[in-house]
Amino acid sequence: MSRPVRIANCSGFYGDRLAAAREMVDGGPIDVLTGDYLAELTMLILWKARRKDPGAGYAKTFLTQVEHVLGTCLDRGVRIVANAGGLNPPGLAAELTAVAERLGLHPKIAYVDGDDLVDRLGELRAAGHDLAHLDTGRKLAEAGVEPLTANAYLGGWGIAEALGAGADVVVTGRVTDASLVVGPAAWWHGWAPTDFDAVAGAMAAGHVIECGPQATGGNYAFFEEVTDRRYPGFPIAEVEADGSSVITKHDGTGGLVSVGTVTAQLLYEIAEPAYAGPDAVAHFDTVRLEQAGPDRVRISGTLGSPPGDRLKVALNHDGGYRNTMTLVLTGTRIEEKAEWAERQLFELLGGKEQFAEVDVTLLRFDHPDAPVNAEATAHLRITVKDPDRAKVGRRFSNTTMELALGGYPGFHTTTPPSAESGFGVYWPALVPAAEVQHRVTLPDGTRRVIPHPPSGPPRTLAPAAEPGVVVTGPVRNVPLGTVAGARSGDKGGNANVGFWTRTDAEYGWLRRYLDESRFRALLPEAAGLEIRRFELPDLRALNFVVVGLLGAGVAASARPDPQAKGLGEYLRSRTVEVPETLLGAGGR
């Protein structure tokens, strides 16, 4: 079709706003309603659900949302596409059929699978595919673990095939988040798998709207720009025939769609600007943004390359058991009290060496002569991990309470003694695309295998021009966030932080100032870790990846912020030397 396809997202994660589906369908005209429910940790959550109930393994909240909107979508011709199938796409399709029958409706339902490789891991290793960890290089066999889940990231062409066959609802297993936009856009506009620029443009749009209201003012660094503080409306991507798009939201909803909010989301949880997917490589350093009207931002210029010949696989394996107790330290001599408590506790437990892993972190919130008690406290957070659940269970937490009357003055904890909990470990790897069968089951029961797009070498791009503005003169010590926004998140065990500025002069300064060494100085926790730095000049942005900051991933991390959601705001609070001429702009 000649007009853009309006693709509206109603979910950014499993557990997102339940009413969003109804709000997106009732709020204005749309062509496709999408929902993103899957993350690396979600696959482990769904595995646990399926272990209790073999018929489970999908995002159950999606069923509730579909029940709210299915009749209206069928009346208006709105297609529904979601990756809520998780580990059991056919099971979800069957449940959707049952829901529709109860409502007296008769939608055409299709599902995409083939991503689940957990039962084929032995076969893959026997064929010489070592499933080495993408960051450490360690082979899976060397780790001595058996994965609980293993899902390859599929692309959008199975979705396009299902929509082309008349499906009203398409549910998938582990497709990439952006595939939920690529598939409908390819179907709508009749793209071929070799239309890499168009696909790359849709990938950019999909990456922007995949996390729902993060694109419309949520989690936005310069939140003073968001004057409508109601809960943000969920985002819509109007994708055009060439892959360009406009990001917007329904009229009358809260939040903001600006070049800044879209830039922030483009930088979210990426690594190098060559953003790899199973359908194409989207070169985010070619993306151009412009404000096209109130709450309308146009994305254009995205160039694409053929995808590589391997697919990313997200594996999760059992990490054992863990427990955490947090001790409160009050007043003066905080570090001395913490050292005493740590020594006493592990003497009572029989030594640290009996545990597979111990993490002890002192979190300082205290300051001298505090006006209220709470402002004079710090937390000593102690986490233990071990394959033996008895070691880290109530034995650990109960022993912690033995310090209550025989330890440092003012002892108390944030919680009562707790039991152990199991945790998983995320393991990213690659497999040849030829080893993965991308399948779609159409509404009439026909099953088709979707060919992988042709692979090829990455596109050679012209080097980015040097920023033309060089700012010199007197400087002042101010928080980095005075001139730079940031958005941070997790990529398995790695953390990414994307910084952007609002003017060319600010970017010219940021690019020259914030090199790897200065970034490392701002983040002492990164000592000894690899840091990767990337420039995206068309977005006035820098992206940093800190390899291994989150340990073995979200489920295994002992950090208080295991997904690095607050890392960007922390770094914006750090003091840096900024030219005074930049601080004068806009009254800052």
Side-chain angles (χ1 to χ4, degrees):
M1 300 187 188
S2 58
R3 72 170 178 85
V5 55
R6 286 175 59 87
I7 303 173
N9 179 27
C10 72
S11 176
F13 65 97
Y14 188 15
D16 205 352
R17 181 172 169 79
L18 200 61
R22 169 58 69 188
E23 292 167 358
M24 296 308 285
V25 172
D26 290 347
I30 61 173
D31 301 303
V32 181
L33 178 70
T34 69
D36 178 18
Y37 298 83
L38 301 184
E40 289 87 357
L41 179 61
T42 313
M43 306 307 283
L44 189 61
I45 293 170
L46 295 177
W47 175 84
K48 292 179 179 179
R50 193 174 62 173
R51 183 175 56 174
K52 295 178 181 178
D53 175 6
Y58 49 80
K60 292 188 175 181
T61 53
F62 174 69
L63 288 170
T64 303
Q65 291 180 301
V66 168
E67 190 168 358
H68 292 166
V69 302
L70 182 57
T72 305
C73 287
L74 291 174
D75 289 343
R76 298 179 183 174
V78 175
R79 310 295 181 99
I80 301 173
V81 178
N83 61 10
L87 298 176
N88 189 6
L92 177 56
E95 281 297 314
L96 286 169
T97 301
V99 168
E101 288 176 352
R102 289 199 303 271
L103 297 173
L105 302 173
H106 305 284
K108 297 177 180 178
I109 299 172
Y111 66 87
V112 174
D113 66 356
D115 59 294
D116 195 339
L117 304 179
V118 72
D119 293 332
R120 296 186 52 215
L121 293 179
E123 167 195 338
L124 291 169
R125 283 182 286 193
H129 309 304
D130 55 26
L131 297 167
H133 193 288
L134 280 179
D135 298 314
T136 67
R138 190 182 187 192
K139 297 178 181 179
L140 184 62
E142 296 172 356
V145 298
E146 281 301 320
L148 306 173
T149 67
N151 297 82
Y153 289 78
L154 303 180
W157 291 103
I159 295 170
E161 183 80 9
L163 294 172
D168 301 302
V169 182
V170 185
V171 293
T172 77
R174 200 29 164 146
V175 299
T176 67
D177 302 339
S179 296
L180 301 174
V181 169
V182 171
W187 156 70
W188 184 272
H189 293 299
W191 295 339
T194 52
D195 290 331
F196 296 123
D197 286 347
V199 169
M203 288 172 63
H207 184 69
V208 170
I209 73 169
E210 71 182 52
C211 287
Q214 277 199 164
T216 57
N219 292 339
Y220 182 51
F222 298 117
F223 63 89
E224 66 275 10
E225 298 175 4
V226 185
T227 56
D228 189 335
R229 297 292 178 85
R230 293 175 295 165
Y231 193 84
F234 275 61
I236 298 168
E238 300 174 352
V239 184
E240 301 170 18
D242 66 351
S244 300
S245 64
V246 170
I247 305 300
T248 185
K249 61 186 182 69
H250 283 317
D251 293 339
T253 58
L256 170 72
V257 181
S258 69
V259 168
T261 68
V262 173
T263 298
Q265 188 54 30
L266 278 169
L267 296 173
Y268 183 59
E269 295 184 345
I270 66 169
E272 60 271 13
Y275 187 74
D279 295 324
V281 175
H283 296 275
F284 279 12
D285 48 353
T286 63
V287 170
R288 295 193 301 270
L289 303 178
E290 62 177 312
Q291 196 74 41
D295 292 318
R296 293 180 64 82
V297 171
R298 181 172 176 78
I299 303 176
S300 63
T302 310
L303 297 180
S305 292
D309 60 0
R310 297 189 293 173
L311 298 180
K312 183 178 177 181
V313 181
L315 301 99
N316 285 287
H317 67 81
D318 184 7
Y321 299 90
R322 64 185 290 170
N323 204 347
T324 297
M325 288 293 290
T326 301
L327 284 58
V328 181
L329 312 166
T330 307
T332 60
R333 301 166 70 180
I334 293 293
E335 292 180 0
E336 187 177 346
K337 291 172 183 174
E339 182 183 358
W340 183 11
E342 180 182 350
R343 185 175 67 249
Q344 249 189 340
L345 174 60
F346 285 104
E347 284 176 355
L348 292 172
L349 288 167
K352 288 184 180 181
E353 62 278 359
Q354 67 181 292
F355 300 102
E357 186 177 341
V358 174
D359 181 87
V360 181
T361 304
L362 178 60
L363 305 172
R364 302 296 296 266
F365 316 118
D366 56 298
H367 54 83
D369 195 24
V372 295
N373 190 337
E375 295 181 11
T377 62
H379 287 176
L380 184 66
R381 195 168 187 268
I382 303 173
T383 299
V384 291
K385 300 178 184 178
D386 202 84
D388 184 349
R389 65 189 309 162
K391 286 185 180 180
V392 300
R394 293 301 292 262
R395 172 179 173 269
F396 163 72
S397 55
N398 286 346
T399 302
T400 303
M401 300 309 296
E402 293 179 18
L403 305 184
L405 303 180
Y408 63 85
F411 174 94
H412 61 287
T413 60
T414 58
T415 62
S418 57
E420 76 286 349
S421 60
F423 70 95
V425 175
Y426 171 63
W427 185 288
L430 297 173
V431 296
E435 293 284 3
V436 180
Q437 199 174 73
H438 184 167
R439 300 187 299 259
V440 58
T441 301
L442 302 176
D444 64 359
T446 302
R447 174 169 285 195
R448 296 179 186 171
V449 175
I450 304 299
H452 296 289
S455 60
R459 193 168 189 160
T460 301
L461 302 178
E466 290 278 328
V469 180
V470 178
V471 181
T472 59
V475 297
R476 190 189 315 163
N477 288 324
V478 297
L480 175 59
T482 308
V483 294
R487 174 69 61 78
S488 59
D490 64 292
K491 293 296 287 183
N494 304 338
N496 101 290
V497 187
F499 297 96
W500 78 95
T501 66
R502 293 171 286 191
T503 69
D504 291 338
E506 290 170 340
Y507 178 65
W509 167 79
L510 182 72
R511 177 182 175 274
R512 290 174 175 83
Y513 180 86
L514 196 55
D515 56 17
E516 181 185 322
S517 63
R518 283 203 174 100
F519 179 88
R520 192 180 294 278
L522 294 178
L523 186 62
E525 296 170 81
L529 299 177
E530 179 187 355
I531 294 175
R532 301 168 184 166
R533 179 184 182 274
F534 305 100
E535 297 182 6
L536 297 89
D538 285 348
L539 297 177
R540 303 192 191 104
L542 303 176
N543 188 47
F544 291 85
V545 177
V546 186
V547 179
L549 183 69
L550 307 180
V554 174
S557 178
R559 290 172 55 89
D561 179 15
Q563 294 178 290
K565 300 297 186 185
L567 184 60
E569 284 300 289
Y570 164 65
L571 291 168
R572 291 183 74 231
S573 75
R574 299 303 310 272
T575 299
V576 297
E577 295 181 340
V578 176
E580 290 185 352
T581 53
L582 296 181
L583 300 178
R588 288 194 292 276

